[in-house]
Amino acid sequence: MSGPLKGLRVLDMTRILAGPTCTQLLGDLGADVIKIERPGEGDDTRRWGPPYVRNADGSDSDASAYFLSSNRNKRSLSIDMAHPEGQALIRRLAESADFAVENFKVGGLSKFGLDYFGLKQVKPDLIYCSVTGFGQDGPYAPRAGYDYLAQGMGGMMSLTGEPDGKPMKIGVGIADVMCGMYATVALLAALHHRDKTGRGQYIDLALLDTQVAWLVNEGLNYLTSGEVPHRRGTEHANIVPYNVLPTADGHLILAVGNDRQFQRFCEFAGAPELAADPRFLTNSLRVANRKALYEILPRLTARKTLDDWVEGLAQIGVPSGPVNTLDRVFADPQILHRGMKIELPYPGSEKGSVSLIGNPIKFSETPVDYRRPPPHVGQHSDEVLSEVLGLDAAEIARLRDEGVV
């Protein structure tokens, strides 16, 4: 184990996507993540398929692609939280943990004594993070929250889609993922505070809050002007030209960030007069006259192939790129060079391994370490109970016979 968080332990009581995104990232950074799962069933997303990993005999395993996306570098311990002995085991695990992360409904763990206040009794300096839809307080706190709701209620769907179409969600659970990212940042900040003071603390994160936080420029466009932004399709609110345009054989993303880039683009496109047009001299003028410019540009970009545009514009420093389907993404030489597609051994599966998406963080001294593929339910129960809690084989067998683990 070589990551910067080597030596830290995470008590992971999360499922679905937001919490597991956080704990997978902590695991990638070297922490020992112990994932608590319901005996037999495990994380809900294990059944969110197809597709599933295929077993050697061709049958579906207990690992959906969805589950694989956010659960590597974890050890799975199956425990029945509703059983008093199961609760006692989790409290004992908390004694050795630095972080506890959970995403149950508000108050969902307090009845088991596994909320912050319960676990703080056994581990006073524990850093405990709760991820919920709407936070621990406020009028919506009791409601169940999902990524889709956060995207809609937090304004993102009002900004996504074609101007004359219906509101659209983003193609992945981005509110969940970003909430998991914020949770990771918060935990590491709290760790720094604990290192200085010796005190743990409670972290309250909500999908809706984090969704609003990353409205960024569009949120500030509204707060600054008082004007409600509307859907612009693939256009940008504040930069023109910044859009998807047709080519002779595909679609080009053109992302002109300043006036010099616009001049170079016009020269390469064989239309230098556009850069001198009084309507398009500056970005502010291009934003004001976007409709007129976007009526002209498709006729120009359709004259060349996608590769001609991407290669030619790269040579003159004008940002552009293709709209790739995922087969092209994971065959792209830059993506492969950067290690964004990885393979981990997966004994018992049809091909003996699983393909996963790599971690984008590149450390010079403490590289990300891919130690464990996503686990099967309870795969590491005996290991964790023996290694961490010191239980012998007879005691583990008794717990299993009684349905505790």
Side-chain angles (χ1 to χ4, degrees):
M1 198 181 295
S2 61
L5 300 186
K6 179 181 178 181
L8 295 178
R9 178 165 289 153
V10 181
L11 175 57
D12 179 2
M13 298 182 284
T14 70
R15 65 261 194 257
I16 315 298
L17 186 56
T21 294
C22 167
T23 53
Q24 175 173 271
L25 182 49
L26 294 171
D28 283 357
L29 298 181
D32 176 24
V33 180
I34 299 174
K35 182 179 178 73
I36 306 300
E37 298 196 73
R38 289 171 295 181
E41 298 180 351
D43 189 310
D44 295 352
T45 62
R46 288 184 179 276
R47 295 172 299 284
W48 286 14
Y52 297 92
V53 174
R54 302 299 293 273
N55 293 317
D57 63 3
S59 62
D60 289 338
S61 74
D62 69 343
S64 69
Y66 199 115
F67 176 81
L68 295 178
S69 72
S70 56
N71 284 289
R72 68 166 168 256
N73 281 338
K74 302 178 183 182
R75 296 194 281 179
S76 174
L77 169 58
S78 60
I79 290 184
D80 181 2
M81 287 186 179
H83 195 291
E85 280 199 85
Q87 297 157 20
L89 290 172
I90 293 175
R91 281 191 284 274
R92 288 180 61 188
L93 286 169
E95 294 179 32
S96 69
D98 299 279
F99 300 139
V101 188
E102 61 91 7
N103 60 351
F104 284 74
K105 289 173 64 176
V106 172
L109 290 180
S110 60
K111 60 186 176 183
F112 302 137
L114 302 178
D115 59 346
Y116 172 63
F117 300 102
L119 295 188
K120 184 181 178 182
Q121 302 304 311
V122 299
K123 177 73 170 177
D125 64 349
L126 182 67
I127 299 169
Y128 189 111
C129 179
S130 292
V131 176
T132 56
F134 302 103
Q136 298 295 308
D137 50 27
Y140 302 161
R143 299 183 186 179
Y146 293 92
D147 171 272
Y148 205 165
L149 298 180
Q151 286 196 41
M153 297 174 71
M156 185 53 60
M157 287 178 62
S158 76
L159 303 172
T160 306
E162 293 299 325
D164 57 352
K166 66 179 182 179
M168 298 290 290
K169 73 177 183 69
I170 295 172
V172 297
I174 191 65
D176 272 341
V177 171
M178 286 301 297
C179 192
M181 296 292 182
Y182 278 106
T184 305
V185 172
L187 286 162
L188 297 180
L191 179 65
H192 181 64
H193 176 263
R194 191 184 74 177
D195 288 344
K196 292 192 300 181
T197 67
R199 297 195 301 274
Q201 62 181 298
Y202 181 61
I203 300 167
D204 170 12
L205 270 170
L207 293 182
L208 183 59
D209 295 350
T210 55
Q211 172 61 82
V212 172
W214 64 274
L215 289 174
V216 289
N217 62 298
E218 286 284 38
L220 265 293
N221 285 343
Y222 166 70
L223 293 176
T224 302
S225 70
E227 297 179 8
V228 176
H230 299 290
R231 295 185 298 282
R232 303 180 189 276
T234 57
E235 294 185 30
H236 194 286
N238 306 104
I239 308 173
V240 173
Y242 200 101
N243 204 352
V244 172
L245 297 166
T247 70
D249 60 352
H251 287 89
L252 172 76
I253 299 170
L254 181 63
V256 170
N258 58 51
D259 299 336
R260 293 185 302 279
Q261 290 177 2
F262 183 63
Q263 292 165 7
R264 293 198 293 270
F265 164 77
C266 292
E267 291 171 4
F268 182 77
E273 69 280 1
L274 272 183
D277 189 312
R279 296 173 297 173
F280 311 136
L281 286 174
T282 67
N283 181 67
S284 295
L285 289 169
R286 292 192 294 275
V287 169
N289 295 291
R290 68 171 69 222
K291 182 177 180 181
L293 183 58
Y294 283 142
E295 288 176 353
I296 297 168
L297 292 184
R299 296 196 295 271
L300 296 176
T301 57
R303 296 174 182 173
K304 300 179 188 287
T305 67
L306 180 58
D307 286 345
D308 287 342
W309 280 112
V310 172
E311 294 170 9
L313 293 176
Q315 291 175 11
I316 61 174
V318 176
S320 70
V323 178
N324 281 335
T325 52
L326 295 195
D327 56 332
R328 292 174 62 93
V329 170
F330 290 111
D332 187 285
Q334 180 70 16
I335 298 297
L336 294 175
H337 176 83
R338 297 286 290 176
M340 292 309 299
K341 177 184 175 183
I342 63 172
E343 291 283 328
L344 289 182
Y346 206 74
S349 67
E350 196 169 48
K351 66 174 186 174
S353 66
V354 287
S355 300
L356 302 173
I357 299 173
N359 190 302
I361 301 173
K362 315 300 181 189
F363 289 106
S364 64
E365 298 295 329
T366 53
V368 166
D369 183 12
Y370 303 117
R371 306 176 303 283
R372 300 176 184 273
H376 299 292
V377 179
Q379 178 179 342
H380 305 98
S381 293
D382 289 9
E383 176 184 313
V384 172
L385 293 172
S386 173
E387 173 196 316
V388 180
L389 300 185
L391 302 186
D392 60 26
E395 181 66 4
I396 294 171
R398 181 189 68 79
L399 292 170
R400 183 169 287 110
D401 289 342
E402 294 179 7
V404 179
V405 300

